[in-house]
């Protein structure tokens, strides 16, 4: 993942530096689906249902207890 607007944001005084999310490669699409289902059942907030992203990754996104985004990603 790469953002080209980081320097532009810094110059404009925006606070956009730091970790925006963390991703874990878990294997197959099916494993992303299973883990997402398990985390939902355990009460985690699913912020992004399993899907194929524009850059070709299969992922889902959930939030940790502090609201940080955590991605589960299949092998590309």
């Amino acid at each position: 993942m790469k953002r080209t607007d980081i320097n532009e944001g810094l110059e404009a005084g925006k606070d956009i530096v730091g970790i925006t999310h963390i991703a874990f490669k878990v294997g197959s699409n099916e494993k992303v689906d299973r883990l997402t289902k398990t985390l939902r059942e355990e009460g985690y907030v699913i912020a992004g249902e399993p899907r194929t992203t524009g850059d070709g990754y299969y992922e889902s996104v959930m939030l940790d207890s502090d609201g940080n985004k955590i991605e589960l990603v299949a092998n590309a």
Side-chain angles (χ1 to χ4, degrees):
M1 176 176 225
K2 182 177 178 180
R3 289 191 51 186
T4 58
D5 62 338
I6 295 293
N7 288 336
E8 295 167 10
L10 289 174
E11 292 165 5
K14 294 181 182 175
D15 184 19
I16 58 172
V17 177
I19 296 173
T20 60
H21 72 278
I22 188 167
F24 295 96
K25 190 180 284 190
V26 298
S28 67
N29 293 10
E30 293 79 18
K31 192 156 187 182
V32 170
D33 292 341
R34 280 195 314 270
L35 288 169
T36 302
K37 180 178 184 250
T38 298
L39 290 165
R40 178 183 285 111
E41 290 169 353
E42 293 293 324
Y44 288 87
V45 175
I46 305 303
E49 294 295 329
R51 67 187 181 101
T52 301
T53 64
D55 54 359
Y57 287 94
Y58 189 77
E59 70 176 29
S60 67
V61 181
M62 68 271 333
L63 303 179
D64 71 8
S65 58
D66 291 322
N68 297 304
K69 293 179 182 176
I70 301 173
E71 291 180 4
L72 300 177
V73 182
N75 293 335

